[in-house]
């Protein structure tokens, strides 16, 4: 990639101002890490769509909108109603604000505090799985994050209530937000995490970076609901690492956003690991929603499964890029991937790209993609029974989405997502 | 009930129906027979309102209304029912939810309140019994994984649930074993009243032993070329279409 002055990050963030962030008492990262991150940003610049990984995702153009400095106010936040019985965590404009509720074996606090109370865990993991030099957005996040979130589930702890993390963004701010999350699930633990990204019309760019560590024999369910409105931009990075015999089960639901890029990476460092990445994406208006997944099979006997479904309305574009790496030692790997999409308008577009890199010989891997319109024969069949056009389409789209919504095991969350889904079809 | 006058229809610029005239009165059963490709399903689809077909001429009056002006769902709500020759599989949509939506949208169209859940379930039970449809099938996705015969039986089940005034059965007998054929036929006979009418499309006289038609028509090359009583079906069974083909073979 060529580096031009043009596409340097300094268009959006003033580097001198940035450097003043080093030593920010709310940023958990030390001088070295921040320095490294900023240097990386300066060299790399923002990716343009000439960059293969950002072919359909023109972040550079978006960033040029010159998002302002991080805004501190959150008075205008309209808190969404809490419908799930959970331990509620509030991240406001990218900063950890509060937590209500607790559970035996569960620690939730901001990263700066955690650096003191859980020094070893933080030092071992923070920035180790999402390295500042892995992408410009992680680098930016590293340099600018403040009051990140720390969730720690102790060894063998079974957390009954889900940990519901509300990522709320102020509707009056126009800014870059840099939420940072570290979730460490100890060996044999069991937890459900909900990331709910919500905003009422805020115009912002998020660099949210999460690191999730799933210990041996641990079971983690991870739900993501992204519904931040038509002015939300962001490159969201989720780096998951798993140890032997663990299960990581993720389901992502995206209902709005102007430009949403999710990088969801799972690395399997052990045997008998199970990982599921699922997604349901509704594109409306001019949205560009780009899901990049990466699953790294490093060792034998692991099973992974991916199912992403998209419904693209109007002029929206949906991208699914699923990379699966099966390394030489990863014999007896089962890795399946499928992407299915429905185009609701002639102006909408879908781009899917499976990427399988297989270096082991005794493996079962498959991928499939399909893109089409609503099945006209089915539509006519329903109408011929007296069902109107709108209801008939709704029935068919619901049928398409159902298997993903049904992956939600928390009934109240299931209903909330179903409602959001139905709302998003209107 | 329904009057079809000089109906012409084409698909992709090719004329399939070449001037059909047919009148069906309440209480009557008409049968249409005719060789493959003669336009029987096209006629059914045009009446049900499938968009692929372009009506180029003619008119269809259904209970005083211009049927061709209505959207397919409104035709159904007005009482037109088509039992498909090839019922469509719709994975993920349950038979029950599908029927409930269909019934309630029809009721709404007629200005009636939605059906109570318990009344609906009672109706399901009653009609399931009528066509001896396995209860499990009613709870599955619409036609998904149904055998050929089960699909046909499901069409008759839906017909019984929706209680239409005019039903078109497009080869509902094909693919049915003898027992299923009797069940389907007796289902139709039980639904037969002086107020409703049926158009039965079939290749086999056998069905007409059970559902006795008032009239039999032969559709050939997009036209009704011969009409008669139920004895016409027997005659066709015996002689085949050769004579008709010879007589009407044109350019
Ligand atoms: N959607 C379509 N596109 C192109 N051709 C069509 C379409 N539908 C029907 N046809 C053609 O119209 C003609 C009549 O077809 P139709 O299905 O009405 O025949 P049919 O009398 O029902 O035959 P069968 O006894 O085999 O069911 C055939 O030549 C068929 O290929
Ligand atoms: Mg036919």
């Amino acid at each position: 990639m060529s580096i031009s002055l043009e596409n340097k990050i300094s268009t959006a963030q003033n580097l001198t101002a940035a450097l003043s962030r080093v030593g920010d008492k709310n940023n958990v990262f030390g001088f070295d890490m921040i320095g490294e991150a900023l240097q990386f940003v300066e060299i790399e610049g923002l990716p343009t769509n000439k960059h293969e990984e950002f072919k359909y995702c023109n972040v550079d153009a978006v960033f040029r909108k010159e998002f302002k400095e991080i805004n501190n106010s959150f008075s205008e936040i309209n808190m969404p109603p809490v419908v799930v019985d959970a331990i509620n965590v509030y991240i406001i404009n990218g900063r950890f604000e509060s937590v209500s509720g607790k559970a035996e074996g569960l620690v939730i606090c901001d990263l700066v505090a955690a650096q003191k109370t859980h020094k070893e865990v933080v030092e071992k993991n923070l920035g180790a799985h999402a390295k500042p030099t892995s992408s410009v957005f992680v680098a930016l996040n590293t340099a600018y994050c403040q009051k990140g979130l720390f969730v720690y589930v102790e060894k063998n702890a079974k957390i009954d209530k889900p940990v519901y993390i509300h990522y709320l963004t102020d509707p009056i701010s126009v800014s870059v937000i840099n939420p940072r999350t570290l979730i460490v699930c100890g060996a044999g633990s069991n937890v459900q995490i909900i990331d709910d990204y919500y905003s009422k019309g805020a115009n912002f760019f998020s660099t949210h970076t999460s690191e999730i560590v799933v210990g041996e024999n641990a079971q983690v369910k991870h739900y993501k609901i992204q519904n931040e409105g038509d002015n939300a931009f962001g490159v969201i990075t989720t780096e998951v690492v798993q140890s032997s015999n663990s299960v990581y089960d993720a389901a992502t639901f995206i209902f709005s956003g102007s430009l949403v890029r999710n990088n969801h990476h799972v690395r399997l460092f052990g045997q008998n690991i199970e990982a599921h990445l699922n997604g349901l994406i509704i594109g409306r208006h001019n949205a560009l929603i780009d899901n990049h997944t990466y699953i790294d099979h490093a060792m034998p006997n692991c099973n992974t499964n991916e199912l992403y479904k998209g419904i693209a309305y109007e002029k929206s574009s949906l991208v699914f890029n699923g990379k699966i790496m099966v390394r030489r030692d990863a014999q007896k790997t089962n890795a399946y991937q499928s992407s299915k999409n429905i185009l609701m308008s002639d102006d909408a577009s879908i781009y899917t790209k499976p990427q399988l890199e297989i270096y082991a010989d005794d493996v079962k891997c498959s991928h499939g993609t399909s893109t089409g319109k609503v099945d006209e024969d089915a539509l006519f069949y329903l109408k011929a029974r007296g069902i109107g056009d709108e209801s008939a389409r709704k029935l068919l789209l619901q049928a398409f989405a159902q298997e993903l919504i049904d992956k939600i095991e928390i009934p109240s969350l299931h209903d909330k997502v179903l409602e959001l889904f139905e709302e998003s079809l209107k | 009930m329904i009057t079809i006058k000089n109906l012409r229809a084409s698909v992709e610029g090719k004329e399939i129906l070449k001037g059909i005239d047919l009148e069906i009165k309440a209480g009557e059963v008409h049968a249409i027979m005719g060789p493959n490709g003669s336009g029987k399903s096209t006629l059914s689809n045009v009446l049900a309102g499938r968009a692929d077909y372009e009506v180029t001429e003619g008119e269809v009056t259904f209970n005083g209304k211009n049927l061709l002006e209505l959207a397919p769902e409104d035709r159904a709500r007005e009482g037109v029912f088509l039992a498909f020759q090839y019922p469509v599989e719709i994975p993920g949509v349950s038979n029950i939810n599908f029927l409930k939506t269909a019934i309630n949208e029809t009721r709404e169209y007629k200005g009636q309140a939605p059906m109570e859940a318990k009344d609906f379930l009672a109706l399901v039970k009653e009609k399931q019994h009528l066509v001896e449809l396995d209860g499990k099938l009613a709870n599955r996705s619409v036609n998904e994984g149904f055998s050929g015969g089960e699909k046909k039986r499901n069409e008759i089940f839906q017909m019984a649930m929706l209680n239409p005034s005019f039903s078109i059965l497009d080869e509902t007998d094909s693919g049915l074993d003898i027992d299923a054929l009797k069940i389907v036929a007796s289902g139709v006979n039980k639904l037969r009243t002086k107020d409703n009418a049926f158009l039965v499309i079939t290749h086999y006289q056998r069905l007409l032993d059970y559902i006795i038609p008032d009239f039999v028509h032969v559709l050939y090359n997009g036209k009704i070329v011969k009409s008669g009583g139920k004895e016409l079906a027997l005659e066709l069974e015996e002689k085949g279409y050769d004579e008709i083909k010879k007589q009407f073979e044109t350019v």
Side-chain angles (χ1 to χ4, degrees):
Chain A
M1 191 179 93
S2 70
I3 307 154
S4 71
L5 255 178
E6 275 278 291
N7 69 28
K8 275 190 188 171
I9 196 63
S10 38
T11 51
Q13 299 274 343
N14 181 314
L15 264 190
T16 334
L19 280 167
S20 72
R21 293 241 157 259
V22 179
D24 179 337
K25 66 175 175 14
N26 286 321
N27 187 329
V28 66
F29 291 99
F31 184 85
D32 288 352
M33 220 43 139
I34 294 179
E36 190 184 17
L38 288 173
Q39 205 174 24
F40 184 75
V41 171
E42 196 179 354
I43 297 167
E44 282 289 309
L46 281 171
T48 64
N49 54 5
K50 292 195 182 64
H51 193 296
E52 183 59 27
E53 283 290 290
F54 282 83
K55 200 166 160 188
Y56 304 107
C57 191
N58 200 349
V59 176
D60 186 57
V62 169
F63 230 86
R64 270 172 216 294
K65 288 180 75 165
E66 306 236 354
F67 288 95
K68 271 190 253 154
E69 254 293 327
I70 301 132
N71 190 318
N72 239 331
S73 87
F74 50 82
S75 52
E76 295 292 312
I77 296 273
N78 302 315
M79 294 276 187
V82 173
V83 295
V84 178
D85 182 21
I87 293 159
N88 289 293
V89 182
Y90 291 93
I91 310 294
I92 291 174
N93 293 341
R95 295 181 182 82
F96 173 79
E97 182 69 23
S98 66
V99 53
S100 66
K102 52 183 168 187
E104 178 92 19
L106 177 71
V107 177
I108 295 175
C109 62
D110 81 68
L111 270 170
V112 177
Q115 206 172 27
K116 296 189 185 87
T117 57
H118 293 75
K119 191 167 189 296
E120 215 174 294
V121 179
V122 172
E123 270 176 9
K124 190 174 155 203
N125 295 297
L126 189 69
H129 314 301
K131 293 194 177 65
T133 54
S134 60
S135 93
V136 173
F137 301 97
V138 174
L140 278 172
N141 186 274
T142 306
Y144 289 94
C145 72
Q146 286 188 313
K147 288 202 149 194
L149 168 67
F150 178 66
V151 176
Y152 183 58
V153 186
E154 284 169 11
K155 199 174 158 186
N156 295 326
K158 311 265 186 271
I159 313 301
D160 292 343
K161 284 189 185 180
V163 176
Y164 199 126
I165 310 171
H166 303 262
Y167 290 93
L168 304 175
T169 304
D170 187 340
I172 56 162
S173 68
V174 178
S175 62
V176 179
I177 60 163
N178 302 289
R180 180 80 186 203
T181 307
L182 172 64
I183 298 173
V184 179
C185 308
S189 66
N190 190 324
V191 67
Q192 297 164 292
I193 309 272
I194 302 160
D195 287 342
D196 188 344
Y197 299 85
Y198 177 81
S199 168
K200 239 184 182 168
N203 186 197
F204 66 101
F205 192 104
S206 172
T207 66
H208 186 206
T209 300
S210 297
E211 288 161 288
I212 300 177
V213 181
V214 184
E216 261 183 42
N217 295 303
Q219 301 212 7
V220 176
K221 280 213 159 276
H222 187 194
Y223 303 109
K224 260 180 191 292
I225 303 164
Q226 291 169 265
N227 190 23
E228 299 180 291
D230 293 340
N231 291 312
F233 300 82
V235 176
I236 313 298
T237 303
T238 310
E239 295 284 352
V240 182
V241 291
Q242 289 185 256
S243 299
S244 290
N245 305 308
S246 64
V247 180
Y248 173 72
D249 196 348
T252 299
F253 300 90
I254 308 177
F255 300 113
S256 64
S258 178
L259 182 151
V260 179
R261 164 64 175 262
N262 283 340
N263 294 319
H264 207 148
H265 303 161
V266 184
R267 291 176 171 59
L268 314 177
F269 294 135
Q271 295 206 34
N272 302 312
I273 294 172
E274 222 181 281
H276 306 276
L277 293 180
N278 296 304
L280 174 64
I281 297 99
I282 319 300
R284 297 302 307 239
H285 318 301
N286 292 302
L288 173 102
I289 301 174
D290 180 347
N291 281 282
H292 267 58
T293 64
Y294 173 58
I295 297 185
D296 186 350
H297 283 261
M299 291 171 74
N301 300 312
C302 296
N303 299 322
T304 64
N305 216 320
E306 288 178 85
L307 174 62
Y308 272 76
K309 286 189 173 183
I311 302 173
Y313 282 92
E314 290 113 15
K315 292 181 173 167
S316 64
S317 308
L318 306 184
V319 182
F320 174 73
N321 187 114
K323 186 167 176 177
I324 298 174
M325 166 72 83
V326 181
R327 295 186 192 272
R328 223 181 45 202
D329 292 339
Q331 299 297 358
K332 307 272 184 215
T333 286
N334 288 316
Y336 304 107
Q337 181 189 88
S338 160
S339 153
K340 297 179 181 167
N341 303 284
I342 296 183
L343 282 165
M344 299 298 289
S345 102
D346 291 337
D347 297 326
S349 30
I350 306 270
Y351 306 96
T352 58
K353 185 177 169 193
Q355 277 181 285
L356 270 53
E357 261 184 59
I358 302 172
Y359 299 101
D361 45 27
D362 186 13
V363 300
K364 284 191 190 127
C365 293
S366 75
H367 66 82
T369 81
S370 69
T371 296
K373 297 195 168 184
V374 169
D375 180 352
E376 286 294 330
D377 288 336
L379 204 56
F380 179 64
Y381 191 81
L382 295 174
K383 288 183 186 179
R385 299 296 179 251
I387 299 175
D389 187 73
E390 199 183 316
S391 317
R393 282 175 200 278
K394 200 173 134 189
L395 272 177
L396 294 175
L397 292 175
Q398 230 158 30
F400 176 74
Q402 198 70 43
E403 65 175 318
L404 286 160
I405 296 173
D406 286 348
K407 291 194 187 290
I408 304 177
E409 289 168 5
I410 305 163
S412 52
L413 187 68
H414 178 278
D415 294 353
K416 178 189 162 116
V417 168
L418 185 60
E419 216 170 279
L420 287 172
F421 172 70
E422 285 177 359
E423 194 64 32
S424 75
L425 301 185
K426 282 178 186 159
Chain B
M1 170 141 317
I2 187 162
T3 310
I4 303 171
K5 278 192 190 144
N6 188 31
L7 183 65
R8 288 172 177 267
S10 22
V11 59
E12 288 162 11
K14 182 182 153 208
E15 185 163 66
I16 313 282
L17 300 183
K18 300 174 180 169
I20 299 223
D21 292 287
L22 185 64
E23 171 152 23
I24 301 175
K25 296 198 174 78
E28 291 178 351
V29 173
H30 289 235
I32 290 190
M33 303 182 82
N36 296 130
S38 56
K40 302 182 298 296
S41 294
T42 303
L43 175 62
S44 321
N45 282 313
V46 167
L47 294 179
R50 198 179 187 105
D52 309 1
Y53 301 91
E54 192 198 346
V55 174
T56 51
E57 230 184 291
E59 53 190 67
V60 180
T61 317
F62 178 68
N63 288 335
K65 289 201 167 93
N66 179 354
L67 190 74
L68 300 177
E69 261 182 3
L70 299 176
E73 57 270 33
D74 288 341
R75 297 183 194 195
R77 292 163 182 171
E78 290 284 346
V80 176
F81 180 91
L82 167 61
F84 285 66
Q85 181 174 4
Y86 304 108
V88 184
E89 297 197 13
I90 314 182
V93 176
S94 82
N95 245 332
I96 291 295
N97 189 22
F98 157 60
L99 279 170
K100 201 162 86 191
T101 312
I103 284 179
N104 284 336
E105 293 214 356
T106 300
R107 290 177 69 94
E108 194 185 332
Y109 178 81
K110 292 180 178 161
Q112 297 164 337
M115 194 181 266
E116 296 279 340
K118 73 168 183 354
D119 296 341
F120 175 75
L121 290 175
L123 191 67
V124 167
K125 218 167 166 192
E126 179 199 329
K127 303 302 183 188
Q128 229 165 266
H129 186 71
L130 184 78
V131 297
E132 296 179 32
L133 185 82
D134 188 337
K136 282 191 218 88
L137 293 181
N139 290 312
R140 284 199 352 218
S141 289
V142 179
N143 295 323
E144 192 190 19
F146 285 27
S147 75
E150 286 168 346
K151 282 180 185 165
K152 296 300 177 78
R153 231 189 269 201
N154 195 26
E155 294 293 287
I156 301 304
F157 169 60
Q158 291 171 32
M159 181 178 85
M161 288 292 293
L162 295 166
N163 191 27
S165 52
F166 175 54
S167 304
I168 307 161
L169 309 187
D170 190 357
E171 294 197 28
T172 304
D173 55 333
S174 319
L176 291 182
D177 61 38
I178 302 288
D179 292 344
L181 183 75
K182 283 185 193 160
I183 291 162
V184 164
S186 90
V188 170
N189 287 330
K190 280 179 201 151
L191 296 169
R192 229 172 136 167
T193 68
K194 63 175 182 16
D195 300 318
N196 59 20
F198 292 85
L199 180 62
V200 180
I201 295 168
T202 182
H203 284 296
Y204 308 104
Q205 129 74 20
R206 197 183 54 184
L207 177 72
L208 305 179
D209 283 341
Y210 299 104
I211 305 174
I212 316 271
D214 301 297
F215 300 95
V216 175
H217 310 278
V218 180
L219 187 68
Y220 177 63
N221 200 12
K223 271 189 181 147
I224 290 177
V225 294
K226 203 169 180 182
S227 297
K230 62 176 192 286
E231 65 291 340
L232 178 57
L234 277 168
E235 189 188 318
L236 290 169
E237 180 101 338
E238 223 168 273
K239 299 186 184 153
Y241 294 111
D242 275 1
E243 208 171 292
I244 286 171
K245 281 184 181 166
K246 229 176 274 161
Q247 193 180 342
F248 293 94
E249 222 157 11
T250 42
V251 270

